[in-house]
């Protein structure tokens, strides 16, 4: 009997890669997406697979189904998209979590929440361990995403305590790779698209703020390993690459790899933009036996190839 697995946000960047991985592992996959940021092109090659089913549905609305596992990835994840309709973003995180937790409770299914490093806000602790409770502005322009994800984590742990639900929570740090949306406002896709088009590369602030970049294949491996842990392990667990780069270093690396003639220009820093972001992955190493294996240069080369084909297609 094949395991029946629901992936919400399954047509998105991460969701589509996860659907592929689960099909390869012999699962029956239900991909749910409302296509606000998801793209049918990301999963078009899966539609002929008899064990793949696409469901057009918004997680804000209740739905009934029978499943064995749920990966809850549904939510706009880039500032451009989650600030476009901040109320809907919060509703997606909060109501989406409630609706998926209710399915898991009814089916006695295992459920994983894709949380985010944004729960740490602009951190006062560096690198960020899971025990750090964060420094988040609850009324700022990013709060719809940050606080929505924090509330979703609350709900997951309350459902565990109240209903003995089997839950997993992963906190995802910056991830990049093929199928990123070219206009999502994230730094890797922004820089690559600007470089390939020969436009100025826009760096916010002085470019000395740091991020850590995890290639998508490594991230998916970490998510699947988390779902497959013993019932006692709930997380939250950080998943990300602990190698840290400044925005200026990233911009220069992408100019070099693309052979672009683009200039680097500076723009004002957005409100509440964190100055540092780096995961402490001690827990992931210990419990999951996981750490990233794909370095920044190798991952960027694959991502640049993808965007090159997409922009010329």
């Amino acid at each position: 009997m094949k395991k029946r697995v629901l992936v919400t946000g399954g047509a998105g960047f991460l969701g589509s890669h996860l659907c592929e991985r689960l099909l390869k592992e012999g699962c029956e996959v239900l991909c749910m997406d409302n296509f606000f940021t998801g793209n049918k092109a990301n999963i078009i090659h899966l539609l002929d697979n008899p064990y793949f089913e696409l469901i057009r549905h918004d997680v804000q609305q209740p739905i009934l189904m029978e499943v064995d596992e749920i990966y809850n990835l549904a939510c706009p994840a880039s500032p451009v998209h989650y600030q476009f309709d901040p109320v809907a973003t919060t509703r997606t995180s909060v109501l989406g979590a409630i609706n998926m937790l209710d399915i898991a409770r009814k089916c006695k299914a295992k459920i994983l929440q894709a949380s985010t490093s944004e729960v740490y806000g602009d951190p006062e602790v560096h690198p960020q361990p899971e025990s750090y409770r964060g420094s988040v502005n609850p009324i700022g322009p990013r709060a719809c995403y940050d606080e929505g994800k924090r509330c979703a984590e609350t709900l997951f742990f309350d459902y565990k305590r109240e209903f003995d639900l089997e839950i997993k929570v992963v906190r995802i740090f910056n991830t990049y790779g093929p199928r990123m949306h070219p206009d999502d406002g994230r730094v890797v896709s922004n820089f690559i698209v600007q470089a390939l088009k020969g436009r100025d590369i826009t760096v916010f602030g002085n470019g000395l703020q740091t991020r850590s970049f995890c290639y998508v294949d490594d991230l998916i491996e970490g998510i699947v390993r988390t779902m497959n842990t013993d019932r006692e392990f709930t997380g939250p667990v950080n998943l990300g690459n602990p190698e840290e780069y400044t925005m200026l270093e990233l911009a220069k690396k992408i100019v070099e790899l693309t052979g672009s003639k683009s200039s680097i220009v500076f723009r004002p820093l957005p409100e509440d933009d964190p100055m540092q972001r780096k995961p402490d992955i001690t827990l992931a190493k210990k419990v999951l036996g996981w750490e990233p294996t794909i370095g920044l240069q190798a991952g960027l080369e694959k991502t640049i190839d993808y965007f090159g084909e997409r922009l010329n297609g």
Side-chain angles (χ1 to χ4, degrees):
M1 181 74 72
K2 284 182 177 285
K3 189 161 55 177
R4 190 170 163 85
V5 183
L6 171 63
V7 179
T8 71
F13 164 46
L14 295 181
S16 60
H17 285 278
L18 179 59
C19 287
E20 267 183 347
R21 169 67 181 267
L22 294 171
L23 287 168
K24 285 176 184 173
E25 292 194 350
C27 300
E28 181 180 349
V29 176
L30 284 72
C31 167
M32 182 191 294
D33 210 296
N34 70 344
F35 296 100
F36 174 61
T37 57
N39 189 335
K40 194 172 281 188
N42 290 340
I43 45 93
I44 196 81
H45 61 294
L46 303 178
L47 292 177
D48 290 335
N49 188 318
Y51 297 108
F52 179 80
E53 183 177 344
L54 175 60
I55 303 165
R56 191 178 193 113
H57 183 81
D58 190 327
V59 293
Q60 295 181 49
Q61 306 301 323
I63 188 171
L64 296 175
M65 59 178 63
E66 296 288 334
V67 294
D68 301 305
E69 291 180 353
I70 302 169
Y71 290 84
N72 186 34
L73 275 62
C75 190
S78 70
V80 168
H81 291 142
Y82 67 63
Q83 291 177 3
F84 174 76
D85 188 344
V87 172
T89 296
T90 304
R91 288 172 60 90
T92 297
S93 286
V94 177
L95 295 179
I98 291 170
N99 289 331
M100 293 307 110
L101 286 161
D102 283 341
I103 292 174
R105 183 184 171 202
K106 174 178 174 289
C107 300
K108 295 181 170 57
K110 195 187 316 186
I111 181 167
L112 180 145
Q113 167 68 11
S115 190
T116 171
S117 61
E118 298 293 338
V119 300
Y120 299 122
D122 190 1
E124 297 159 342
V125 173
H126 193 74
Q128 295 81 56
E130 291 85 356
S131 58
Y132 176 55
R133 295 181 181 178
S135 175
V136 176
N137 176 4
I139 58 171
R142 300 169 70 103
C144 58
Y145 185 69
D146 303 359
E147 296 288 27
K149 289 288 192 178
R150 285 163 68 97
C151 185
E153 288 195 18
T154 301
L155 286 161
F156 265 65
F157 280 89
D158 282 341
Y159 267 73
K160 173 181 169 50
R161 284 184 284 260
E162 191 166 339
F163 306 117
D164 194 31
L165 212 58
E166 186 170 2
I167 66 162
K168 313 288 179 186
V169 175
V170 295
R171 289 176 176 165
I172 298 171
F173 283 67
N174 287 56
T175 304
Y176 70 100
R179 300 186 199 145
M180 292 184 82
H181 196 291
D183 301 318
D184 68 3
R186 295 191 225 194
V187 64
V188 172
S189 49
N190 267 9
F191 287 0
I192 290 175
V193 170
Q194 288 169 344
L196 289 174
K197 290 185 173 181
R199 297 175 179 168
D200 287 343
I201 293 181
T202 51
V203 172
F204 293 102
N206 59 11
L208 299 182
Q209 65 272 39
T210 65
R211 295 292 184 273
S212 306
F213 301 101
C214 186
Y215 188 67
V216 62
D217 291 355
D218 282 331
L219 190 279
I220 296 300
E221 177 68 26
I223 289 176
V224 172
R225 288 194 191 191
T226 304
M227 181 64 100
N228 292 335
T229 53
D230 293 340
R231 183 183 184 94
E232 290 70 32
F233 183 73
T234 59
V237 58
N238 289 336
L239 296 180
N241 193 320
E243 293 182 358
E244 192 175 8
Y245 297 90
T246 68
M247 298 299 94
L248 207 48
E249 287 173 330
L250 179 68
K252 289 177 179 176
K253 172 66 77 174
I254 288 172
V255 168
E256 174 194 330
L257 292 176
T258 56
S260 176
K261 298 290 194 290
S262 294
S263 299
I264 296 174
V265 298
F266 297 88
R267 297 285 183 265
L269 197 64
E271 185 178 348
D272 294 333
D273 192 51
M275 287 306 296
Q276 290 181 305
R277 189 56 62 71
K278 173 182 175 178
D280 180 333
I281 61 168
T282 304
L283 184 62
K285 287 180 178 179
K286 178 182 176 183
V287 176
L288 310 177
W290 176 90
E291 61 182 314
T293 60
I294 300 168
L296 183 65
Q297 176 149 339
L300 284 177
E301 287 171 351
K302 294 179 182 183
T303 311
I304 288 165
D305 287 346
Y306 166 79
F307 277 111
E309 291 174 10
R310 178 160 180 176
L311 294 175
N312 295 323

